[in-house]
Amino acid sequence: MDSIVALAKRRGFIFQSSEIYGGFNGFFDYGPLGSELKKNIRDCWWADMVRRRDDIVGLESSIIMHPKVWEASGHVAGFTDPLVDCKVSKQRYRADQLFFSPVVVTGADGVAQTIGYVSALESEKTAADLQAAAETMKRKKAVQGTLAPVVVKDFTEAREDEYALIPSPATGEPGSLTAPRSFNMMFQTNVGAMTDASSVAYLRPETAQGMFVDFKNVVDTGRVKLPFGIAQIGKSFRNEITPRNFIFRSREFEQMEMEYFIHEDADWAKCHQDWIEWCKNWLLSIGLPESHLSLYAHPKEKLAFYSKGTVDIMFQYPFGVQELWGIAARGNYDLGQHAQASGKPQELFDEATKKKFVPHVIEPAVGVDRILLAVLCAGYAEEDVKDEKGNVEKRTVLRLSPRIAPVKVAVLPLLKNKEALTDRAKALYKKLQRRYAVFYDEAGAIGRRYRRQDEIGTPWCVTIDFDTIEKDGTFTLRERDTMTQKRITEADLFALLDEQVY
Ligand code: ATP
C-alpha cells in the first residue's frame, strides 16, 4: 500500500487535499493523471450503463436538496451514531456501547446509599465487569453494608445529573464525559442569509435520493417503460468518524448509482442476480482480475426492515477484503416514503390489471474512488527486467486496462535533434490527440522513456525512427505488459485503438 500511495503522489495521481496547510483528513485531490483516470472510469461506466442500454437514462440532480428529502429517506433520524466524548483523553465512544451502574450499598440501619458509579465498555461480560468494579469501589471506600447487584444501563439512558458522575473508561475517573449527542454523518450547511434552524440543509450523503425524487419527472418526460433505470454520477459527502485507508473511506467521494425500477410483481430476485452479474462483468471489463473479487450476501437479520436482500462485490485490497459495490433490493420503500412525505403519489398504472402500484427497485451503488484504488492496487507491480544491454533492472509497471489508462499512447521520436523524426512524431501526436489522451516525449534514452510510461500505465508507445521516414512509414509499437515490439502502420495503430479503447 505504501508503494502505491508513493507512486500516486510521485506521478501526480492523488495528492492530499490542502497539503501546503498540512492536509485535511478525509479529503483528497486528483492530479493530472488521477483526474484523467477517474474521468475514464466514469466515462466507461456511463457509456456502458446509460448510452449503450435502451432501458436506462441519466440524471444529474443537485447536491443540496430540500431538507425534507433527507427526513423522508430516514437520513436525518437514522444516519447517526450517538457519541460521547471524554474531554480529558479525547477518546470518543458510541454512547450505546458505554455501560454504567450506580453503586448502591444498604447499611445496617436499612438505608440505601449511592457511593459512586462504575462504567465498562460493551463486551460479552459487561455485567460481570461492572459488578467487579462495584465491589472494588466498596472495598476502597471502606463502606460497611450490603452491595446491591449492579443495574446495567447504557449511556443513552443516563440522567443529566449522572453524566458527570460516570467514570470515563479511558481515565477511570468521573467528570470528563460529555452528554451524549447524536452524531449525524451528514454535513450540514445553511442556505440563504439566515443561519437558524429554518435554513439548515445537507450535503447529500448519497446520490440515490435524486433518482427517487425525480422519478415522476423522468416518467412523465423520458418515454420510459418498466423495467427501466435512472443512473447518476456525482459527489457525496459523509462526515466519517474514522476516514482511513487512503481514498477508500473519505469524507468527500464520488458515487455511481443506478435505480432500476421494476413491477411490484416482477421476479426481483432474478433481477437482483442479473445486476450482480452485470456489475461483476463490468469490473472485469475495466481490468480488475477475477481472483480479487468475491461476493458477500448480507445476513437476513442485519438487513433494514424494508430490504429484501443486499449483496456486496468485495475487492481484495492490500489492507483486506472490503466492500467495493453494493447491490441492494430495496422494495418500494424509497418511493413510498417520498409519496407519503410529499403527498405526491409515486405510482404507475398497470394496463393489464387496471391497478396502480408503486414500483420496486434494485440499486447498484459504487464509489468511483474505491474503483480507482482497486485498479491501482491490482495493476501495480515491480519486476526485474533486462535493459538493452542485458543488465537486470527493476521496472515499476501499472497494468491498467486501455479502457481507463490515463494516457493511451506515448509518441516518441527516436532522437531529439533530428527534425525529420520529431516532425513526423509531432504530426502523428497531433492526429492521435483529436481522439485520445496521448503523450509526446523526446527527452532521454528510449528505454528510460518506456519506463516512465510503464509507471503511469500507458499501454502502448510508438517510436518514430529512420525506417519510418526513409522506408515504409511504419513505426515501432511497444507493448507495456509484454514489452514486445513490432512494426505497424498508422492505420493499424488507429484500428488497434478503436478496438481496445471503448
Ligand atoms: P461502508 O459500509 O464501507 O461504509 P456503505 O455500505 O455505507 O459503505 P453505501 O451507502 O452502500 O456504502 O454506498 C455505496 C458505495 O459508495 C459503497 O459501496 C462505496 O463504494 C462507496 N462509499 C461509501 N462510503 C464511502 C466513503 N466514505 N468513501 C469512499 N467511498 C464510499
Side-chain angles (χ1 to χ4, degrees):
M1 196 60 199
D2 289 345
S3 324
I4 292 161
V5 174
L7 174 80
K9 168 88 205 277
R10 185 171 74 243
R11 298 309 310 267
F13 282 90
I14 303 164
F15 310 124
Q16 253 191 316
S17 162
S18 320
E19 198 183 310
I20 59 168
Y21 293 101
F24 201 37
N25 198 8
F27 298 91
F28 294 91
D29 295 343
Y30 288 85
L33 291 175
S35 50
E36 270 307 324
L37 176 57
K38 201 167 173 216
K39 181 175 168 8
N40 293 341
I41 293 172
R42 272 191 230 116
D43 288 352
C44 283
W45 188 89
W46 191 263
D48 293 337
M49 181 65 96
V50 182
R51 293 216 184 117
R52 292 171 184 153
R53 291 186 66 115
D54 299 326
D55 56 347
I56 296 181
V57 293
L59 180 77
E60 205 170 305
S61 65
S62 62
I63 286 176
I64 297 178
M65 301 166 83
H66 197 294
K68 287 209 173 127
V69 169
W70 306 108
E71 280 168 30
S73 68
H75 284 81
V76 170
F79 207 54
T80 58
D81 281 338
L83 269 194
V84 177
D85 290 296
C86 168
K87 286 181 282 189
V88 171
S89 68
K90 308 286 179 220
Q91 293 278 347
R92 203 161 237 202
Y93 303 100
R94 284 261 303 267
D96 55 344
Q97 293 172 355
L98 201 173
F99 292 88
F100 73 96
S101 174
V103 180
V104 180
V105 177
T106 307
D109 52 4
V111 177
Q113 179 200 1
T114 300
I115 62 165
Y117 280 76
V118 287
S119 66
L121 291 175
E122 183 179 47
S123 76
E124 311 86 76
K125 49 185 189 59
T126 305
D129 287 348
L130 287 175
Q131 193 64 45
E135 278 159 22
T136 308
M137 178 179 281
K138 174 174 178 274
R139 203 171 51 247
K140 278 199 182 152
K141 292 199 172 181
V143 181
Q144 299 299 313
T146 314
L147 180 70
V150 291
V151 188
V152 184
K153 292 187 193 173
D154 76 49
F155 208 89
T156 60
E157 302 168 279
R159 294 190 314 265
E160 238 168 84
D161 61 303
E162 288 179 317
Y163 299 153
L165 304 173
I166 298 169
S168 158
T171 62
E173 298 296 327
S176 65
L177 293 180
T178 63
R181 63 194 166 95
S182 267
F183 183 81
N184 193 303
M185 300 223 291
M186 284 195 292
F187 282 101
Q188 263 192 30
T189 185
N190 294 86
V191 173
M194 305 289 283
T195 52
D196 59 9
S198 71
S199 67
V200 166
Y202 307 96
L203 302 193
R204 67 180 174 201
E206 60 173 40
T207 59
Q209 294 306 319
M211 280 79 101
F212 296 124
V213 171
D214 274 327
F215 173 73
K216 272 291 192 181
N217 279 334
V218 173
V219 168
D220 293 345
T221 58
R223 301 173 57 118
V224 287
K225 276 214 317 265
L226 282 191
F228 74 91
I230 311 177
Q232 166 157 230
I233 301 178
K235 289 267 180 142
S236 292
F237 304 82
R238 295 182 189 179
N239 197 0
E240 299 276 359
I241 299 169
T242 47
R244 64 199 147 91
N245 292 328
F246 198 32
I247 55 171
F248 178 82
R249 185 179 301 288
S250 51
R251 290 179 165 137
E252 173 177 339
F253 55 99
E254 199 161 359
Q255 289 186 307
M256 306 195 286
E257 297 194 286
M258 195 276 295
E259 305 301 327
Y260 199 70
F261 298 98
I262 54 177
H263 194 283
E264 60 177 350
D265 298 331
D267 184 350
W268 69 266
K270 174 165 188 318
C271 185
H272 190 213
Q273 195 52 43
D274 288 349
W275 276 109
I276 297 165
E277 285 295 313
W278 190 95
C279 296
K280 196 177 153 200
N281 286 332
W282 188 81
L283 291 173
L284 299 177
S285 85
I286 58 154
L288 287 184
E290 186 146 27
S291 56
H292 285 48
L293 300 173
S294 54
L295 297 181
Y296 169 74
H298 289 229
K300 284 260 174 310
E301 63 277 13
K302 294 248 171 90
L303 295 173
F305 71 92
Y306 53 79
S307 174
K308 292 173 176 254
T310 296
V311 170
D312 292 338
I313 300 180
M314 313 293 284
F315 181 78
Q316 194 185 329
Y317 290 96
F319 44 84
V321 174
Q322 298 280 342
E323 172 182 338
L324 175 58
W325 202 330
I327 300 115
R330 298 178 60 85
N332 60 8
Y333 176 76
D334 306 271
L335 285 180
Q337 286 292 103
H338 288 301
Q340 204 178 28
S342 67
K344 311 258 165 35
Q346 303 292 314
E347 298 160 330
L348 296 180
F349 184 70
D350 186 336
E351 293 290 348
T353 61
K354 306 288 178 213
K355 267 179 28 195
K356 286 183 178 167
F357 67 96
V358 180
H360 287 224
V361 76
I362 306 291
E363 175 192 87
V366 69
V368 185
D369 315 77
R370 282 195 191 176
I371 295 178
L372 193 144
L373 183 58
V375 296
L376 289 182
C377 293
Y380 183 89
E382 288 170 19
E383 10 174 88
D384 288 332
V385 292
K386 290 209 174 103
D387 68 10
E388 297 108 86
K389 294 187 191 114
N391 300 321
V392 175
E393 60 168 24
K394 276 241 172 310
R395 84 157 177 164
T396 301
V397 58
L398 209 47
R399 292 202 167 86
L400 299 178
S401 151
R403 292 195 78 192
I404 57 168
V407 177
K408 309 300 181 197
V409 183
V411 181
L412 321 171
L414 186 63
L415 299 170
K416 172 164 138 183
N417 43 12
K418 284 276 179 286
E419 224 170 73
L421 293 179
T422 54
D423 283 354
R424 177 68 187 93
K426 280 178 188 160
L428 176 65
Y429 169 63
K430 284 283 160 208
K431 198 164 174 187
L432 283 165
Q433 214 175 30
R434 282 193 236 148
R435 285 171 58 190
Y436 302 105
V438 287
F439 192 80
Y440 176 83
D441 187 6
E442 55 180 32
I446 196 78
R448 296 240 344 255
R449 284 186 265 166
Y450 287 153
R451 294 285 179 278
R452 284 204 288 266
Q453 296 304 317
D454 290 344
E455 208 183 41
I456 62 167
T458 306
W460 301 286
C461 293
V462 291
T463 305
I464 313 299
D465 56 21
F466 291 104
D467 281 358
T468 317
I469 46 176
E470 288 165 6
K471 276 197 193 157
D472 50 7
T474 62
F475 26 70
T476 305
L477 179 88
R478 187 262 191 187
E479 223 242 3
R480 176 195 66 205
D481 296 347
T482 57
M483 300 197 297
T484 51
Q485 304 188 6
K486 64 175 179 199
R487 296 210 63 95
I488 61 162
T489 64
E490 190 175 300
D492 292 339
L493 175 65
F494 275 91
L496 173 73
L497 287 168
D498 190 49
E499 188 203 312
Q500 301 271 333
V501 182
Y502 57 95

Coordinates of all heavy atoms in Angstrom, one line a residue, residues 394-421:
K394 N 15.1 -3.0 -12.2 CA 13.7 -3.0 -11.7 C 12.9 -2.1 -12.6 O 13.3 -1.0 -13.0 CB 13.7 -2.4 -10.3 CG 14.0 -3.4 -9.2 CD 12.8 -3.5 -8.2 CE 13.0 -4.6 -7.2 NZ 13.5 -5.9 -7.7
R395 N 11.7 -2.6 -12.9 CA 10.7 -1.7 -13.5 C 9.4 -1.7 -12.7 O 9.0 -2.7 -12.2 CB 10.4 -2.0 -15.0 CG 9.4 -3.0 -15.2 CD 8.8 -2.9 -16.6 NE 7.8 -3.9 -16.9 CZ 6.9 -4.0 -17.8 NH1 6.8 -3.0 -18.7 NH2 6.1 -5.0 -17.9
T396 N 8.9 -0.5 -12.5 CA 7.6 -0.4 -11.9 C 6.6 -0.3 -13.0 O 6.8 0.6 -13.9 CB 7.5 0.9 -11.0 OG1 8.5 0.7 -10.0 CG2 6.2 1.0 -10.3
V397 N 5.5 -1.1 -13.0 CA 4.6 -1.0 -14.0 C 3.1 -1.0 -13.4 O 2.9 -1.6 -12.4 CB 4.7 -2.2 -15.0 CG1 4.6 -3.6 -14.3 CG2 3.7 -2.2 -16.2
L398 N 2.3 -0.2 -14.1 CA 0.9 -0.1 -13.7 C 0.1 -0.8 -14.8 O 0.0 -0.2 -15.9 CB 0.6 1.4 -13.5 CG -0.5 1.8 -12.5 CD1 -0.3 1.1 -11.2 CD2 -0.4 3.3 -12.3
R399 N -0.4 -1.9 -14.6 CA -1.2 -2.6 -15.6 C -2.6 -2.2 -15.7 O -3.5 -2.8 -15.1 CB -1.1 -4.1 -15.4 CG 0.3 -4.7 -15.6 CD 0.3 -6.2 -15.9 NE 1.6 -6.6 -16.4 CZ 2.6 -6.9 -15.6 NH1 2.5 -6.9 -14.3 NH2 3.8 -7.2 -16.1
L400 N -2.8 -1.0 -16.3 CA -4.2 -0.5 -16.4 C -4.8 -0.9 -17.7 O -4.1 -0.9 -18.7 CB -4.2 1.0 -16.3 CG -3.6 1.6 -15.0 CD1 -3.6 3.1 -15.1 CD2 -4.4 1.2 -13.8
S401 N -6.1 -1.2 -17.7 CA -6.8 -1.6 -18.9 C -6.7 -0.4 -19.9 O -6.8 0.8 -19.4 CB -8.2 -1.9 -18.6 OG -9.0 -1.6 -19.7
P402 N -6.5 -0.6 -21.2 CA -6.5 0.5 -22.1 C -7.8 1.4 -22.0 O -7.8 2.6 -22.4 CB -6.5 -0.2 -23.5 CG -5.9 -1.5 -23.2 CD -6.3 -1.9 -21.8
R403 N -8.9 0.7 -21.6 CA -10.2 1.5 -21.4 C -10.0 2.7 -20.5 O -10.6 3.7 -20.7 CB -11.3 0.6 -20.9 CG -11.7 -0.5 -21.8 CD -13.1 -1.1 -21.3 NE -14.2 -0.2 -21.7 CZ -15.4 -0.4 -21.2 NH1 -15.7 -1.3 -20.4 NH2 -16.4 0.4 -21.6
I404 N -9.2 2.5 -19.4 CA -9.2 3.5 -18.4 C -7.8 4.2 -18.2 O -7.7 5.2 -17.5 CB -9.6 3.0 -17.0 CG1 -8.8 1.8 -16.6 CG2 -11.1 2.6 -17.0 CD1 -9.0 1.4 -15.2
A405 N -6.8 3.6 -18.9 CA -5.4 4.2 -18.7 C -5.5 5.7 -19.0 O -6.1 6.1 -20.0 CB -4.5 3.5 -19.6
P406 N -4.8 6.5 -18.2 CA -4.9 8.0 -18.4 C -4.2 8.4 -19.7 O -4.7 9.4 -20.3 CB -4.1 8.6 -17.2 CG -3.5 7.5 -16.5 CD -4.1 6.2 -16.9
V407 N -3.2 7.8 -20.1 CA -2.5 8.0 -21.4 C -2.6 6.8 -22.2 O -2.3 5.7 -21.7 CB -1.1 8.5 -21.2 CG1 -0.4 8.7 -22.6 CG2 -0.9 9.7 -20.4
K408 N -3.2 6.9 -23.4 CA -3.3 5.6 -24.2 C -2.1 5.3 -25.0 O -1.7 4.1 -25.1 CB -4.5 5.8 -25.2 CG -5.8 6.3 -24.6 CD -6.4 5.4 -23.6 CE -7.7 5.9 -23.1 NZ -8.1 5.3 -21.8
V409 N -1.4 6.3 -25.6 CA -0.2 6.1 -26.4 C 0.8 7.2 -26.1 O 0.4 8.4 -26.0 CB -0.6 6.2 -27.9 CG1 0.6 5.9 -28.7 CG2 -1.7 5.2 -28.3
A410 N 2.0 6.8 -26.0 CA 3.1 7.8 -26.0 C 3.8 7.8 -27.3 O 4.1 6.7 -27.8 CB 4.1 7.5 -24.8
V411 N 4.0 9.0 -27.9 CA 4.7 9.1 -29.2 C 6.1 9.5 -29.0 O 6.3 10.6 -28.4 CB 3.9 10.1 -30.1 CG1 4.6 10.1 -31.5 CG2 2.5 9.6 -30.2
L412 N 7.1 8.7 -29.4 CA 8.5 9.0 -29.1 C 9.3 9.1 -30.4 O 9.5 8.0 -31.0 CB 9.0 7.9 -28.2 CG 8.1 7.4 -27.1 CD1 8.7 6.2 -26.4 CD2 7.8 8.4 -26.0
P413 N 9.9 10.2 -30.7 CA 10.9 10.2 -31.8 C 12.1 9.6 -31.3 O 12.5 9.8 -30.1 CB 11.1 11.7 -32.1 CG 10.7 12.4 -30.8 CD 9.7 11.5 -30.1
L414 N 12.8 8.7 -32.1 CA 14.0 8.0 -31.6 C 15.0 9.0 -31.1 O 15.6 8.8 -30.1 CB 14.5 7.1 -32.7 CG 15.7 6.2 -32.3 CD1 15.2 5.2 -31.3 CD2 16.2 5.5 -33.6
L415 N 15.3 10.1 -31.9 CA 16.2 11.1 -31.5 C 15.6 12.4 -31.4 O 14.7 12.8 -32.2 CB 17.4 11.1 -32.5 CG 18.2 9.8 -32.7 CD1 19.1 9.9 -33.8 CD2 19.0 9.5 -31.4
K416 N 16.1 13.2 -30.5 CA 15.5 14.5 -30.2 C 15.9 15.6 -31.2 O 15.2 16.5 -31.6 CB 15.9 14.9 -28.8 CG 15.6 16.3 -28.3 CD 15.8 16.3 -26.8 CE 16.5 17.5 -26.4 NZ 16.7 17.5 -24.9
N417 N 17.2 15.5 -31.7 CA 17.7 16.6 -32.6 C 17.7 16.3 -34.1 O 18.4 16.9 -34.8 CB 19.1 17.0 -32.1 CG 19.9 15.7 -31.9 OD1 19.5 14.6 -32.2 ND2 21.1 15.8 -31.2
K418 N 16.8 15.4 -34.5 CA 16.7 15.1 -35.9 C 15.2 15.6 -36.3 O 14.3 14.9 -35.9 CB 16.8 13.6 -36.2 CG 18.2 13.1 -36.2 CD 18.9 13.4 -37.6 CE 20.4 12.9 -37.6 NZ 21.3 13.8 -36.9
E419 N 15.2 16.7 -36.9 CA 13.9 17.3 -37.2 C 13.0 16.4 -38.0 O 11.8 16.4 -37.7 CB 14.1 18.6 -38.0 CG 13.3 19.7 -37.4 CD 13.7 21.1 -38.0 OE1 13.4 21.3 -39.2 OE2 14.3 21.9 -37.3
A420 N 13.5 15.7 -38.9 CA 12.7 14.8 -39.7 C 11.9 13.8 -38.8 O 10.7 13.5 -39.0 CB 13.5 14.0 -40.7
L421 N 12.6 13.3 -37.8 CA 11.9 12.4 -36.8 C 10.9 13.1 -36.0 O 9.8 12.7 -35.8 CB 13.0 11.7 -35.9 CG 14.0 10.8 -36.6 CD1 15.0 10.3 -35.5 CD2 13.3 9.6 -37.3

